[in-house]
Amino acid sequence: MSRDTERRRPARRPGYAAAAGVFAVGMLGTTLPTPLYGLYRRQIGFSELIVTVVFAVYAVGVITALLVAGDFSDVLGRRPVLLCALALAALSAVCFLCEVGLPLLYAGRVLSGFSAGLLSGTGTAAVLDLAPPERSARAGFAATAANMGGLGLGPLVSGALAEYAPWPLRLPFLVHLLLLLGAAVVVLLLPETVRRAGPRPPLRPQGMKVPPEVRGVFAPCSLAAFAGFSLLGLFTAVAPAFLGQTLGERNLAVVGAVVFSVFCASTCGQLLLGRVGTRTALPLGCLVLVAGLLLVGASLLLASLPVLLVGAVTGGVGQGLAFRAGLTAVSSAAPDAHRGATISAFFVVAYVGISLPVVGVGALAVTLGVRDAGLVFTGCDTLLVAVVGTILWRRPPPPS
């Protein structure tokens, strides 16, 4: 084989853009059931509280994967962990395809959480690893867009298929299985970027740790992430009920589009960080998030879909800006020896935020109704974000 052939071969292999596509396909499945919860409620027969619990077990899966296997791809390589994540996503889709009651819904959501937990770190690392140095900024954008864009595409795709195509509770997952098969083929073609000269170290749970010198930065930044992710959880878990029962909108494609708008706006908010800087982005993101929450609350009082959509976009921008700024501040403040465990702790707080408040909304909805439960949620979340934003404004983190 000639040297020219050796040089050309890597150029023909998939690169960071293909890895970002794999990342997006994997994350797409985690939000695929969002517009379908109302159909499951009618078919199986359960309360709004159970809908939020079904959603919350997903977060349990994500947190477990982050704590146990957050750094496994650094030891085993990117490709094996990516293939494992895709296999778990496929098993989740099979659970929904075979669904005959709540147990398989729970199993499907837990498996989806395991998949997302593995993809969160490994997918990002694979995208960044495969990018040439001169395209590192593009690769960072690609990883961000793949993560949040994949989460947003899930409800958009399933809502459109469920509304306008046959088999509303089956076809979205069949389509996802085909996409996962294609993604697995791409992963097999990706070059492995993790190579070890010596023996492989043992696999150990990464766990979470917040060193004392980081706690002053970690506390307000993680609370901002908690509040922002609770907004994402609200739209992902109970948006169909809000739209259907409070706003009278039962078109599943519209439901999917509203949820998509939140994640799309979050991606745009994360991209704004480079323009405003971490110290300004944290309080500014909280301020924008407060505005979004107030608009969401106003949409429930006025029963207005346009106001809800504006609130979704505004809140998504604020969440994305505050989240990425908080993650940057925490990772910069953490010592090298504990950076991975500190970042895992940050994500754990964020994913607790995506689950516990939403379960609270579901519990309140049983007695107060969806509208009043949503108003209580937006009030509490607004107060939390306002306090955190004030703290960050008075005591911004050190420059990254």
Side-chain angles (χ1 to χ4, degrees), residues 277-318:
T278 303
R279 288 166 66 86
T280 302
L282 275 164
L284 179 61
C286 290
L287 178 63
V288 176
L289 181 55
V290 164
L293 287 164
L294 292 174
L295 285 167
V296 170
S299 73
L300 297 176
L301 285 172
L302 301 172
S304 170
L305 178 58
V307 176
L308 178 67
L309 188 59
V310 174
V313 172
T314 305
V317 170

Side-chain angles (χ1 to χ4, degrees), residues 114-130:
F114 289 158
S115 173
L118 291 178
L119 280 170
S120 296
T122 306
T124 301
V127 173
L128 297 177
D129 287 350
L130 290 168

Side-chain angles (χ1 to χ4, degrees), residues 267-368:
T267 303
C268 295
Q270 292 186 45
L271 295 177
L272 291 174
L273 179 64
R275 295 180 177 271
V276 298
T278 303
R279 288 166 66 86
T280 302
L282 275 164
L284 179 61
C286 290
L287 178 63
V288 176
L289 181 55
V290 164
L293 287 164
L294 292 174
L295 285 167
V296 170
S299 73
L300 297 176
L301 285 172
L302 301 172
S304 170
L305 178 58
V307 176
L308 178 67
L309 188 59
V310 174
V313 172
T314 305
V317 170
Q319 183 275 334
L321 186 59
F323 172 72
R324 190 174 177 192
L327 179 59
T328 301
V330 168
S331 61
S332 299
D336 291 342
H338 301 296
R339 181 165 288 121
T342 305
I343 292 173
S344 289
F346 182 82
F347 273 102
V348 165
V349 174
Y351 274 98
V352 169
I354 212 173
S355 55
L356 283 185
V358 171
V359 174
V361 171
L364 285 173
V366 174
T367 55
L368 300 180

Side-chain angles (χ1 to χ4, degrees), residues 13-399:
R13 301 188 73 175
Y16 76 92
V22 170
F23 193 3
V25 167
M27 297 306 291
L28 181 151
T30 65
T31 52
L32 209 58
T34 293
L36 310 179
Y37 286 134
L39 301 180
Y40 285 122
R41 283 187 65 188
R42 289 195 290 272
Q43 176 176 292
I44 302 173
F46 49 79
S47 68
E48 193 61 42
L49 174 60
I50 298 299
V51 173
T52 58
V53 173
V54 169
F55 174 79
V57 297
Y58 158 77
V60 174
V62 176
I63 292 170
T64 301
L66 284 170
L67 294 179
V68 173
D71 61 350
F72 278 15
S73 72
D74 293 332
V75 179
L76 299 174
R78 309 296 185 216
R79 282 194 301 184
V81 177
L82 285 174
L83 288 172
C84 181
L86 295 178
L88 289 168
L91 287 174
S92 171
V94 170
C95 286
F96 280 98
L97 283 172
C98 301
E99 172 272 319
V100 290
L102 278 174
L104 279 178
L105 287 186
Y106 285 129
R109 291 303 288 160
V110 171
L111 289 168
S112 184
F114 289 158
S115 173
L118 291 178
L119 280 170
S120 296
T122 306
T124 301
V127 173
L128 297 177
D129 287 350
L130 290 168
E134 66 273 12
R135 295 189 178 178
S136 59
R138 285 189 186 180
F141 166 72
T144 296
N147 191 346
M148 303 307 292
L151 290 169
L153 283 171
L156 188 68
V157 169
S158 63
L161 290 175
E163 186 66 32
Y164 301 117
W167 316 315
L169 293 179
R170 300 286 185 268
L171 188 58
F173 301 101
L174 287 171
V175 170
H176 190 226
L177 280 174
L178 290 175
L179 291 173
L180 289 170
L181 180 61
V185 172
V186 172
V187 171
L188 291 173
L189 295 174
L190 289 173
E192 179 56 71
T193 57
V194 176
R195 297 179 180 86
R196 291 189 176 274
R200 192 190 78 186
L203 295 175
R204 293 191 178 94
Q206 177 174 288
M208 55 184 282
K209 180 180 178 64
V210 183
E213 63 268 32
V214 184
R215 290 171 189 168
V217 174
F218 183 89
C221 290
S222 61
L223 283 175
F226 177 97
F229 267 61
S230 66
L231 176 70
L232 298 183
L234 180 77
F235 274 91
T236 309
V238 294
F242 279 178
L243 287 164
Q245 298 177 32
T246 304
L247 304 181
E249 179 56 68
R250 302 187 185 278
N251 186 304
L252 297 181
V254 173
V255 174
V258 170
V259 180
F260 170 76
S261 69
V262 179
F263 288 98
C264 185
S266 176
T267 303
C268 295
Q270 292 186 45
L271 295 177
L272 291 174
L273 179 64
R275 295 180 177 271
V276 298
T278 303
R279 288 166 66 86
T280 302
L282 275 164
L284 179 61
C286 290
L287 178 63
V288 176
L289 181 55
V290 164
L293 287 164
L294 292 174
L295 285 167
V296 170
S299 73
L300 297 176
L301 285 172
L302 301 172
S304 170
L305 178 58
V307 176
L308 178 67
L309 188 59
V310 174
V313 172
T314 305
V317 170
Q319 183 275 334
L321 186 59
F323 172 72
R324 190 174 177 192
L327 179 59
T328 301
V330 168
S331 61
S332 299
D336 291 342
H338 301 296
R339 181 165 288 121
T342 305
I343 292 173
S344 289
F346 182 82
F347 273 102
V348 165
V349 174
Y351 274 98
V352 169
I354 212 173
S355 55
L356 283 185
V358 171
V359 174
V361 171
L364 285 173
V366 174
T367 55
L368 300 180
V370 172
R371 175 178 172 273
D372 289 345
L375 289 171
V376 171
F377 166 84
T378 54
C380 293
D381 211 25
T382 300
L383 180 61
L384 174 61
V385 179
V387 171
V388 171
T390 302
I391 293 172
L392 290 167
W393 186 268
R394 292 180 175 179
R395 297 172 55 189

